[in-house]
């Protein structure tokens, strides 16, 4: 009897919270649910995030004109509608829990409703008959607030104007339903952004009780998704997954330079409750769950808060590769605007301080904005001696006096430190078994000291850029003596926290981060665009084509500013005289061509060597290219439309587009053959925002006016010089 009284009181309080909060929201009107006809990839200002409530108070609706997501909030919370408004595509076929937590070895659902019998589709009338379970985490209340930046970030570097992200955030509060979990509170957050079909989901667990709880696993998203295809027989791994949604979290690593290969949390599973599916063995991959495979495995003590990964859910309205890539690139502008910063830098190989001063002077003379001391240089950021810190403070002061930024390289993971500090292989109980064989554990004494040394170096010297090679790649560690983690279970999660904390700290101080792994959503500015280093031992003619292939292939889902290329000025990875650019004055045509294909794409390359120029003629060539790049910098850093991939047989090219600029497009066309070629080229101008006419100018010459065809393209004739290039602007 006492339990029933408490349950009644809890239910009354719950309904009171819903009623009071709901009064502040506008009423949802289904008639308002329609796309306004404006393509958000061209103009997104009219798509504003809003939270509504249903007239009966049972539902909460997240809507911005591009995406709609509806939650039933009584008798518990469950997502009942997830729709791409642009094309009307429904993503959900079944109701699932809002999250699932494994605590002290047992599974507990957060939210969720039960009673759906047919799992192929969900009818609104079914929702009214669904019930809650007492042992699940129970909904208490919700709060609504504007979205806020995830990182406290600053920048000192050039970047295009990007409007700060805006939108609405709704947080659902849950209390534990199971008696053994009393004191645990869960908040599930949904961030709906203006101008993009994007929702970011995360959750936190706060321990307000007196007991410590082991958080074995946190599944922060569970969606019963509509299947992408029907296959009577087949294995889940061989079947297509739902293409109406793109998922990315801030829990990715493995040096692949692509998110899809770095992702650690996306699991497409089968759903045994879906008994009417076409697949005879019920093996259709149509149940989406988001969680790290390893851990977190942390002990949550009284007063502590655990924060989950952040799941970015971007709804897709097309199967077109270019359009999907553009949508992902827009997502980074919203969630990781720091990736748009794009300083012009040199990669210096130095032997002494005078080399650094010379490089700084050459950067200042040519318009370069930064010098990064490359691997193999005489910089050691791990040296904490006062002499070393004073020395590099003086170098930074000198660079800053010439209006040049300065940075340097360090290596973390792919090195062996000691048996007591290296990753311990859980299979053998001995050091080893890491991604790079032997590698330090970030939770070891050495790893924690490395973190502190990097912070100290940047604090004491005023350096501006950190090139962090071999960041933490996801190694697990079975050591029980490392101070940064308790054991194997929490080793990956804790090391990730250390890595992210360091990147967050650097971002708050405006320090730029180059790092070859997918930490974009936690502060990385740039990664490698994707290349094979031994290819730089090939002849320069081969390198030019291969570089353009790397640029073409590496910018489908990354913006130009998110990837770096490579131009070794001296011998690198072997190769003879035909492979190197030094002496620069003797290979000036190739040097300039390599600069133009990188700067023409908006991708910064690591110009690695001891100098940028060796003669006045070389200096003038560098100045000419940099001056051109800065003149067109806004459009050159804009999104890329891929025209024709380099193949060495015929022309290749790319088109930059930004409908918000005066120059709405810039075309780079290349000719790898030994003779001049004249080609009839179709330019797809849809994403420039132009609708009727386009004014096209070649290399700053007199413009020609073209009428756009019904597919928003124009046809033009271009002559591209032998082994050369040309460029066009579009207004």
């Amino acid at each position: 009897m006492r339990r029933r009284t408490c349950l009644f009181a809890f239910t009354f309080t719950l309904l009171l919270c819903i009623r009071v909060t709901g009064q502040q929201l506008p009423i949802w009107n289904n008639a308002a649910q329609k796309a306004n006809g404006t393509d958000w990839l061209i103009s997104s200002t009219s798509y504003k995030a809003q939270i509504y409530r249903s007239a009966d108070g049972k539902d909460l609706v997240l809507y911005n004109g591009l995406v709609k997501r509806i939650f039933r909030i009584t008798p518990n919370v469950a997502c009942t509608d997830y729709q791409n408004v642009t094309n009307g595509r429904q993503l959900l076929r079944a109701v699932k829990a809002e999250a699932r937590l494994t605590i002290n070895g047992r599974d507990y659902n957060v939210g969720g409703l039960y009673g759906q019998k047919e799992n192929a589709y969900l009818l609104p009338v079914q929702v009214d008959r669904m019930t809650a379970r007492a042992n699940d985490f129970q909904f208490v209340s919700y709060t609504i607030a504007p979205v806020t930046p995830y990182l406290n970030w600053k920048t000192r570097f050039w970047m295009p104007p990007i409007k700060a992200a805006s939108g609405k955030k709704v947080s659902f509060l849950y209390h534990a339903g199971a008696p053994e979990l009393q004191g645990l509170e869960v908040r599930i957050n949904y961030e709906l952004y203006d101008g993009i079909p994007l929702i970011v989901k995360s959750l936190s667990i706060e321990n307000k009780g007196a007991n410590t709880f082991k958080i074995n696993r946190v599944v922060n998203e569970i969606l019963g998704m509509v299947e992408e295809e029907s296959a009577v027989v087949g294995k889940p791994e061989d079947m297509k997954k739902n293409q109406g949604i793109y998922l990315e979290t801030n829990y990715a690593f493995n040096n692949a330079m692509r998110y899809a290969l770095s992702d650690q949390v996306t699991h497409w599973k089968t759903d045994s409750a879906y008994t009417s599916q076409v697949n005879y063995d019920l093996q259709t991959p149509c149940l989406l769950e988001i969680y790290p495979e390893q851990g977190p495995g942390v002990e949550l003590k009284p007063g502590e808060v655990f924060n989950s990964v952040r799941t970015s859910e971007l709804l897709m309205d097309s199967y077109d590769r270019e359009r999907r890539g553009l949508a992902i690139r827009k997502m980074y502008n919203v969630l990781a605007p720091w990736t748009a910063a794009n300083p012009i830098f040199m990669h210096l190989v130095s032997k002494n301080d005078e080399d650094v001063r010379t490089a700084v002077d050459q950067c200042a003379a040519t318009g370069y904005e930064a010098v990064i001391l490359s691997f193999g240089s005489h910089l050691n950021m791990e040296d904490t001696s006062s002499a070393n810190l004073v020395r590099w403070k003086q170098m930074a002061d000198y660079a800053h006096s010439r209006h040049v930024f300065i940075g340097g390289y360090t290596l973390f993971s792919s090195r062996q430190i000691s048996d007591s500090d290296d990753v311990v292989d859980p299979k053998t109980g001995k050091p080893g078994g890491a991604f790079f064989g032997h590698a330090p554990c970030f939770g070891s004494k050495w790893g924690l000291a490395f973190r502190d040394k990097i912070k100290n170096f940047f604090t004491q010297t005023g350096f501006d850029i950190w090139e962090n090679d071999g960041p933490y790649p996801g190694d697990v560690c079975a050591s029980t003596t490392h101070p940064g983690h308790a054991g194997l279970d929490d080793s990956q999660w804790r090391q990730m926290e250390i890595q992210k904390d360091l990147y967050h700290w650097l971002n708050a101080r405006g320090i730029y981060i180059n790092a070859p792994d997918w930490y974009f959503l936690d502060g990385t500015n740039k990664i490698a665009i994707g290349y094979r280093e031994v290819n730089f031992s090939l002849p320069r003619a081969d390198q030019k084509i291969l570089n353009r292939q790397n640029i073409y292939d590496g910018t489908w889902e990354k913006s130009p500013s998110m990837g770096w290329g490579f131009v070794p000025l001296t011998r690198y990875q072997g190769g003879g005289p035909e492979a190197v650019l030094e002496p620069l004055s003797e290979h000036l045509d190739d040097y300039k061509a390599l600069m133009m294909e990188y700067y023409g794409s908006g991708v910064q390359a690591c110009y690695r060597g001891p100098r940028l120029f060796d003669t006045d003629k070389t200096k003038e060539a560098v100045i000419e290219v940099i001056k051109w790049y800065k003149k067109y910098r806004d459009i050159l850093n804009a999104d890329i439309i891929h025209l024709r991939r380099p193949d060495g047989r015929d022309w290749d090219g790319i088109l930059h587009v930004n409908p918000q600029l005066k120059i709405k497009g810039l075309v780079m066309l290349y000719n790898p053959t030994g003779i001049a070629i004249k080609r009839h080229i179709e330019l797809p101008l849809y994403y420039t925002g132009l609708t009727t006419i386009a004014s096209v100018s070649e290399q700053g010459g007199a413009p020609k006016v073209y009428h756009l065809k019904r597919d928003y393209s124009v046809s033009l004739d271009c002559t591209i010089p032998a082994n050369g290039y040309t460029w066009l602007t579009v207004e």
Side-chain angles (χ1 to χ4, degrees), residues 6 14 76 92 107 144 164 185 234 302 356 401 416 443 487 504 514 523 563 574 583 596-597:
C6 289
L14 168 63
N76 211 341
L92 289 188
D107 290 344
I144 295 172
E185 289 187 356
V356 181
S401 74
Q416 187 172 2
H504 293 188
N514 284 349
M596 282 299 295
E597 64 185 35

Side-chain angles (χ1 to χ4, degrees), residues 495-521:
Q495 289 183 81
M496 283 287 286
E497 285 185 324
I498 297 166
Q499 179 73 74
K500 292 178 179 184
D501 168 76
L502 182 52
Y503 282 1
H504 293 188
W505 186 91
L506 292 165
N507 265 261
R509 286 151 184 82
I511 295 165
Y512 194 91
I513 304 170
N514 284 349
D517 215 335
W518 210 273
Y519 285 96
F520 280 125
L521 297 184

Side-chain angles (χ1 to χ4, degrees), residues 342 368 529-531 536 543-552 560 563-568 590-607 625 628-629 636-637 640 654 656 668 670:
N342 204 13
Y368 269 64
I529 197 166
Y531 50 74
F536 299 112
Q543 290 185 43
K544 286 188 284 187
I545 296 174
L546 290 169
N547 284 348
R548 295 204 302 277
Q549 287 184 339
N550 294 339
I551 291 167
Y552 193 93
W564 76 72
F566 204 56
V567 178
D590 286 335
Y591 186 24
K592 184 176 180 181
L594 285 163
M595 284 193 289
M596 282 299 295
E597 64 185 35
Y598 273 115
Y599 288 118
S601 68
V603 176
Q604 299 294 334
C606 300
Y607 296 89
V625 173
W628 173 83
Y629 171 71
L636 287 170
N637 277 268
I640 286 177
I654 58 173
H656 294 276
M668 296 296 303
Y670 301 92

Side-chain angles (χ1 to χ4, degrees), residues 397-558:
D397 289 345
Y398 180 75
H400 296 158
S401 74
R402 302 302 314 273
H403 304 289
V404 173
F405 297 111
I406 188 169
Y409 169 98
T410 59
L411 178 66
F412 171 74
S413 186
S414 52
R415 58 196 283 195
Q416 187 172 2
I417 305 301
S418 70
D419 286 355
S420 60
D421 291 301
D422 282 1
V423 166
V424 173
D425 188 341
K427 296 179 181 178
T428 65
K430 298 178 180 180
F435 186 87
F436 295 105
H438 282 272
C441 172
F442 223 149
S444 68
K445 290 182 180 179
W446 182 92
L448 296 176
F450 175 88
R451 174 200 61 191
D452 295 340
K453 288 174 181 178
I454 296 302
K455 289 183 178 181
N456 184 55
F457 182 87
F458 280 95
T459 299
Q460 299 298 326
T461 64
F463 263 48
D464 310 287
I465 300 171
W466 187 35
E467 189 152 295
N468 176 206
D469 196 2
Y472 170 64
D475 294 328
V476 297
C477 178
S479 171
T480 58
T481 62
H482 290 169
H485 67 96
L488 177 63
D489 288 353
D490 70 336
S491 63
Q492 186 181 87
W493 186 267
R494 293 302 192 193
Q495 289 183 81
M496 283 287 286
E497 285 185 324
I498 297 166
Q499 179 73 74
K500 292 178 179 184
D501 168 76
L502 182 52
Y503 282 1
H504 293 188
W505 186 91
L506 292 165
N507 265 261
R509 286 151 184 82
I511 295 165
Y512 194 91
I513 304 170
N514 284 349
D517 215 335
W518 210 273
Y519 285 96
F520 280 125
L521 297 184
D522 275 294
T524 294
N525 295 87
K526 196 187 297 291
I527 68 171
I529 197 166
Y531 50 74
R532 180 180 289 273
E533 289 189 315
V534 295
N535 288 351
F536 299 112
S537 66
L538 299 173
R540 292 182 296 276
D542 293 337
Q543 290 185 43
K544 286 188 284 187
I545 296 174
L546 290 169
N547 284 348
R548 295 204 302 277
Q549 287 184 339
N550 294 339
I551 291 167
Y552 193 93
D553 297 340
T555 52
W556 285 101
E557 295 179 348
K558 297 194 296 286

